[in-house]
Amino acid sequence: MENLGKESMKTIKRALMGGLALTGMFFAGAALAVGDSPGGPAVNEINLQPPATAIAEELYHLHTFMLILCTVIFIGVFGVMFYSVFAHRKSKGYKAAHFHESTTVEIIWTIVPFVIVVLMALPATKTVIAMKDTTNSDLTVKVTGYQWKWNYDYVKGPGEGINFFSTLTTPRAEVDGEQPKTDTYLQEVDNPLVVPVDKKIRIITTANDVVHSWYVPAFGVKQDAIPGFVRDTWFKADKTGTFRGFCTELCGKEHAFMPVVVEVLSADDYAKWVDDQQKKMAAGADDPNKTYTLAELMERGGKVYAANCAVCHQPTGKGGGAFPALDGSKIANGPIAQHVSIVLKGKNVMPSWGPTLNDVEIASVITFERNSWGNHTGDILQPKQVADARNGKLPEGGDHLAGAAAGASGAVAASGADAASGAAAASGGDAAASGAAGVAPASGGSDSAAASQPQAALPANVYFETGKSTLPGDAQAAVAAAADYAKAHPDAKFTLSGYTDTTGSADLNAKLAKRRAQAVRDALKAAGIAEDHIILKKPETVTGGSDPKEARRVQISSAA
């Protein structure tokens, strides 16, 4: 009895602790409660979102019909089973019947499932066919997925020529838990997709880096965006308003930070929006040939940084997590060539911004980063230098950290065998940065004169003629650059990246890019580079920018 009493007390204590835990969870949930997201999911929503298109309406009814059908099957099967178990149990004297190879049973369990499948397949097939019919669209928009944002390009219909990026605008303070989360947490952007009501909108999807997926539940639209491929879908909103979705493909660490927001306007409001956007684009058109002042670059660079970089590196430049601080960093104060290279090509978790930002934007944001917070380099990067960098000619100078080191050890740098390296440091180059800046490091002995000569910079590009894979005559400069780099770095390996655009057959484009890369590989072998030091990469697709020759190139890069 004593043991039973102890066990009873333990049971009561467990029950009380469980009750307290549930109560705490209830009040904690109430304290953290948020409202329904406007145009998005509702709190505790267990059904599909209210449909805003005819397709979404069909999907809603189809879902309801399937649910009812499955419920009827469930009740029928388990009802018969439980009735049989209860009414014919052994305790009532029933004995199990024994029968085999019953033709009647075989016919029944063949016909019944067939009828059920037909009942489900007919309406589902009708809806799927309607979802894939993208003909006779009023407006066509190309949607390109990037890590981690969307690019919208109006390619046909009212608004043709409008192009912009849609980036998350949820404050970082909400993400870090420093501010309370709003009803639109991680579902708000700077530039939503804007479309007219009661018009058929064709959506063409592709991606620049990894697989993404464009999804708006209220429209009944979900389409994967795959690099190198083009897919399409459509919707026709039957009411105005703002509708929210998200990327439904696990596309990297910031996957949750690329929502889809669509704003549906009336015909008059949409026409006014198109007019405003076209005026804004005309007024803000970038001139890549202009020489900008420091103030102009800083103003533009601040906006580019806030829209694209601040979410990871912080508005204060202090960085966070896997993203290093830019304030006082070796990149923002070191060789400017290294800074340009990492922005254009990316590194580790940082994506490549070359296809995303134009030359003016890259020049502006680099200038901003090198002259903000505690960085006061005074460096100015012009768009023309960025254009040259895309073609393999990286800018020189800007190594302020090396300059400071040289000043601190000037007496030592000016003496003996260190005189040459001191001069290099004072002029903005050092041994570590020479490969990026395009200057070879100095060395002693009889090789000093040769080592002080300019070293060809990588990456270098070979531009082919449209539709051809024959090595062009001007390819020798890029091949020579790689050969010179190989002489200076005997163990270096090289990657060859062929590029294509999104027009025509993706398979044929990929094959053409591969043949072009092979032609460059053969030229590198002829120049003395070992074949096992040359790596052919999978063809990449150029989906951004306005220069068509970028989709006809093979890029030679160092794999180090």
Side-chain angles (χ1 to χ4, degrees), residues 228-308:
F229 293 87
V230 174
R231 298 287 185 269
D232 66 346
T233 185
W234 69 278
F235 65 88
K236 184 178 182 180
D238 53 24
K239 56 185 175 182
T240 60
T242 300
F243 303 92
R244 304 178 192 276
F246 36 86
C247 174
T248 56
E249 200 72 44
L250 190 58
C251 57
K253 66 179 292 290
E254 304 292 336
H255 161 66
F257 291 2
M258 55 181 304
V260 177
V261 180
V262 181
E263 189 172 344
V264 182
L265 302 178
S266 65
D268 292 339
D269 288 342
Y270 178 75
K272 184 178 182 302
W273 178 84
V274 168
D275 185 58
D276 291 342
Q277 287 295 310
Q278 290 174 339
K279 290 178 180 178
K280 186 187 298 184
M281 290 176 62
D286 291 324
D287 183 2
N289 298 314
K290 176 183 174 181
T291 299
Y292 291 82
T293 65
L294 177 61
E296 290 173 328
L297 291 170
M298 288 292 290
E299 181 183 2
R300 180 67 187 281
K303 296 177 181 178
V304 176
Y305 182 88
N308 301 280

Side-chain angles (χ1 to χ4, degrees), residues 99-341:
F99 58 91
H100 300 281
E101 300 178 2
S102 172
T103 304
T104 303
V105 173
E106 294 284 352
I107 293 175
I108 291 174
W109 70 28
T110 300
I111 293 178
V112 171
F114 176 77
V115 172
I116 293 173
V117 169
V118 170
L119 288 175
M120 299 173 71
L122 286 177
T125 303
K126 176 185 175 183
T127 302
V128 169
I129 292 174
M131 292 170 66
K132 297 300 180 182
D133 181 16
T134 60
T135 59
N136 302 318
S137 59
D138 300 297
L139 175 64
T140 301
V141 181
K142 185 177 80 170
V143 179
T144 306
Y146 290 80
Q147 289 179 312
W148 290 270
K149 63 183 69 181
W150 298 101
N151 174 253
Y152 296 113
D153 185 8
Y154 291 65
V155 298
K156 185 179 180 182
E160 182 175 337
I162 295 175
N163 185 298
F164 55 83
F165 281 90
S166 181
T167 307
L168 179 75
T169 58
T170 296
R172 191 74 195 191
E174 288 187 28
V175 177
D176 295 338
E178 298 171 359
Q179 292 181 2
K181 293 176 172 54
T182 64
D183 293 343
T184 54
Y185 175 66
L186 296 185
Q187 290 189 314
E188 49 208 343
V189 297
D190 51 359
N191 297 306
L193 173 65
V194 179
V195 298
V197 71
D198 293 327
K199 297 293 183 182
K200 187 173 183 178
I201 314 299
R202 182 188 180 206
I203 299 293
I204 302 175
T205 62
T206 187
N208 180 69
D209 33 48
V210 299
V211 178
H212 300 276
S213 189
W214 197 81
Y215 176 48
V216 182
F219 295 163
V221 171
K222 179 183 180 296
Q223 185 63 61
D224 284 352
I226 306 172
F229 293 87
V230 174
R231 298 287 185 269
D232 66 346
T233 185
W234 69 278
F235 65 88
K236 184 178 182 180
D238 53 24
K239 56 185 175 182
T240 60
T242 300
F243 303 92
R244 304 178 192 276
F246 36 86
C247 174
T248 56
E249 200 72 44
L250 190 58
C251 57
K253 66 179 292 290
E254 304 292 336
H255 161 66
F257 291 2
M258 55 181 304
V260 177
V261 180
V262 181
E263 189 172 344
V264 182
L265 302 178
S266 65
D268 292 339
D269 288 342
Y270 178 75
K272 184 178 182 302
W273 178 84
V274 168
D275 185 58
D276 291 342
Q277 287 295 310
Q278 290 174 339
K279 290 178 180 178
K280 186 187 298 184
M281 290 176 62
D286 291 324
D287 183 2
N289 298 314
K290 176 183 174 181
T291 299
Y292 291 82
T293 65
L294 177 61
E296 290 173 328
L297 291 170
M298 288 292 290
E299 181 183 2
R300 180 67 187 281
K303 296 177 181 178
V304 176
Y305 182 88
N308 301 280
C309 314
V311 68
C312 297
H313 292 290
Q314 304 294 316
T316 58
K318 298 300 183 182
F323 295 93
L326 296 177
D327 185 5
S329 75
K330 295 179 180 180
I331 295 297
N333 292 277
I336 197 169
Q338 187 178 2
H339 198 166
V340 173
S341 178

Side-chain angles (χ1 to χ4, degrees), residues 466-511:
T466 302
K468 296 183 179 180
S469 58
T470 305
L471 201 68
D474 59 359
Q476 292 306 314
V479 173
D484 291 344
Y485 189 92
K487 291 177 182 177
H489 305 81
D491 296 328
K493 292 189 177 182
F494 302 87
T495 59
L496 301 183
S497 302
Y499 289 82
T500 69
D501 59 21
T502 55
T503 61
S505 168
D507 185 52
L508 293 178
N509 287 343
K511 290 180 180 178

Side-chain angles (χ1 to χ4, degrees), residues 51-83:
T53 66
I55 289 293
E57 188 83 32
E58 287 188 32
L59 292 176
Y60 193 96
H61 294 322
L62 192 60
H63 166 75
T64 304
F65 170 72
M66 298 295 182
L67 183 61
I68 293 172
L69 187 59
C70 291
T71 302
V72 170
I73 294 172
F74 176 85
I75 293 174
V77 171
F78 281 89
V80 171
M81 184 182 75
F82 286 125
Y83 171 78

